[in-house]
Amino acid sequence: MEIVQELQLETTEKNSSKDRTSVFHQHQLKKQTMLKRYRKWFCVSVYIIFLLAGQSAAVLLGRLYFDKGGNSKWMSTFVQSAGFPVLLPLLFYFSSSSPQSKSNNNNKDSFKNTKPKVSSLILLYIGFGLLLTGDNLMYSYGLLYLPVSTYSLLCATQLAFNALFSYFLNSQKFTAFIFNSIVLLTISASLLAINSDSSESSGIPRGKYIIGFLCTVFASAVFSLYLSLMQLSFDKVIKRKTFSSILGMQIYPSFVATSGCVVGLFASGEWKTLHNEMQSYQKGSVSYVMTLVWIAVTWQVFSIGMIGLILEVSSLFSNLISTLSLPIVPVLAVFFFHDKFSGVKAVALLLAIWGFISYIYQHYLDDQKAKADKSDDAVEASKGEVEVC
């Protein structure tokens, strides 16, 4: 009888020990999950700040360049990608401290298996660089021929285009809120297209206004395609979530795009006018150079934020955060460039903000659903562990 009691006591102690171990593991797993989540959203917050600050400053400085005497479309395109050398020290630092040099042999083997081919990366960088060159050139035309407020509001169409490309390339699901966002942003852009007062109030000829409008819309479409293809490349080709991969995806295509701009600058003959342009710049030659330098730097800050959000979340989310500059840039343009903010622009801005909030709410619903699914999986896993014990 005593032997039976001792066996029962040992069994109880073993089960109790297993339960304590299971609870400890669950607590550790929950703690690690929370730390990963906090780290992720800290990175996302930093990338959001980079994107918004870089984009707002770059657009305003680009408008300043044209307003004070700058007229070279290829120079404006050139500085959008030419700032990549400021990122080279970061690339060398993060490449030298990559996970490959700190992991064990098993992790090294796994890392090598997921490392993309050099030939694939070269083709990827060249393709993205050429796409970026054409896109930046169209944006330069838009910024030259449009007021900042109109230009910024037209860029809202990026979200609609990106939703379409994400559906086909990134398996993005369409919902009623996303569809509502697309419709509202399309109407917002259409209001600007038929607003004849925009070109007259800014002193821009009707023909040039139409060219600027079309170039900005096409540039938004190409940029949206660029974002979706970049997300697809991270998922299918690069397969690594490191800061060095973000820097590489920014630096190497920017080098290709800058080279293409140099060719365009000399082929178009605009290089001959740069000296006179600098001398006749209203704020002086030093201000001319510094304006171009800071345009180049701020576009790189924007690009790091943009690519970081693509890697951490999605291309559609990155584009969504980019639309946050819509209410920022036009307001700043009123103070810095004395742009007129007409009633039609106000309605277009409200529709754009409404479309933005609509998509934000959809992202909130998706996030809540993901949390609920993870919670259900954790409950089922804990039940399974108790049954095994």
Side-chain angles (χ1 to χ4, degrees), residues 9-303:
L9 183 61
E10 289 179 1
T11 303
T12 303
E13 291 178 351
K14 288 181 179 178
N15 290 335
S16 178
S17 177
K18 289 180 179 179
D19 290 339
R20 287 196 298 269
T21 303
S22 177
V23 171
F24 176 76
H25 285 317
Q26 290 179 17
H27 178 72
Q28 290 295 109
L29 183 62
K30 184 178 180 181
K31 186 177 180 181
Q32 292 175 1
T33 302
M34 290 181 63
L35 287 175
K36 288 181 179 179
R37 183 177 297 174
Y38 289 145
R39 179 187 173 277
K40 174 184 176 181
W41 286 108
F42 173 77
C43 292
V44 168
S45 300
V46 172
Y47 290 141
I48 287 174
I49 294 173
F50 280 4
L51 191 152
L52 290 177
Q55 184 178 23
S56 300
V59 171
L60 291 173
L61 288 170
R63 185 67 237 178
L64 178 67
Y65 165 75
F66 286 121
D67 280 358
K68 299 304 178 181
N71 195 41
S72 174
K73 294 175 286 295
W74 276 108
M75 176 55 71
S76 175
T77 306
F78 172 81
V79 294
Q80 292 183 51
S81 58
F84 70 90
V86 300
L87 302 177
L88 290 176
L90 292 175
L91 179 64
F92 292 143
Y93 173 77
F94 284 100
S95 296
S96 62
S97 59
S98 64
Q100 186 178 7
S101 60
K102 297 181 180 181
S103 58
N104 56 29
N105 292 333
N106 292 333
N107 288 336
K108 282 184 179 180
D109 294 337
S110 175
F111 184 83
K112 288 179 181 178
N113 290 334
T114 59
K115 192 174 182 180
K117 295 180 179 179
V118 175
S119 58
S120 300
L121 287 178
I122 291 175
L123 291 175
L124 201 66
Y125 294 150
I126 292 175
F128 279 140
L130 295 176
L131 193 65
L132 201 59
T133 304
D135 189 59
N136 289 343
L137 181 61
M138 286 189 289
Y139 273 129
S140 296
Y141 273 98
L143 198 56
L144 174 63
Y145 294 147
L146 296 176
V148 174
S149 53
T150 305
Y151 170 86
S152 300
L153 289 172
L154 280 177
C155 290
T157 56
Q158 288 180 8
L159 189 58
F161 287 120
N162 199 201
L164 182 63
F165 290 128
S166 295
Y167 176 78
F168 290 104
L169 298 177
N170 310 124
S171 302
Q172 176 72 39
K173 293 182 180 179
F174 267 112
T175 64
F177 290 107
I178 292 179
F179 182 75
N180 181 57
S181 177
I182 294 172
V183 171
L184 290 173
L185 290 169
T186 304
I187 295 174
S188 175
S190 299
L191 283 175
L192 295 173
I194 62 176
N195 180 25
S196 59
D197 292 337
S198 296
S199 58
E200 295 173 1
S201 61
S202 59
I204 300 173
R206 183 67 176 174
K208 290 186 176 180
Y209 180 84
I210 293 175
I211 292 174
F213 176 87
L214 293 177
C215 283
T216 305
V217 172
F218 281 123
S220 298
V222 173
F223 185 70
S224 299
L225 176 63
Y226 173 79
L227 294 181
S228 295
L229 290 175
M230 187 173 291
Q231 180 181 346
L232 187 66
S233 300
F234 273 117
D235 293 338
K236 302 297 183 182
V237 180
I238 299 176
K239 299 179 181 179
R240 286 186 293 176
K241 292 187 176 182
T242 60
F243 193 64
S244 60
S245 63
I246 295 175
L247 291 171
M249 185 57 80
Q250 172 59 21
I251 291 173
Y252 300 122
S254 293
F255 172 75
V256 176
T258 303
S259 302
C261 291
V262 171
V263 173
L265 189 63
F266 281 92
S268 64
E270 287 189 2
W271 66 275
K272 298 177 182 179
T273 64
L274 293 181
H275 180 73
N276 292 333
E277 182 178 283
M278 181 174 66
Q279 295 298 323
S280 60
Y281 196 68
Q282 294 180 19
K283 288 185 172 292
S285 57
V286 175
S287 178
Y288 175 84
V289 174
M290 293 306 298
T291 299
L292 294 177
V293 168
W294 282 110
I295 290 174
V297 172
T298 51
W299 275 124
Q300 294 304 308
V301 173
F302 159 77
S303 298

Side-chain angles (χ1 to χ4, degrees), residues 324-335:
L324 274 174
S325 65
L326 292 178
I328 298 175
V329 174
V331 172
L332 294 175
V334 172
F335 292 100

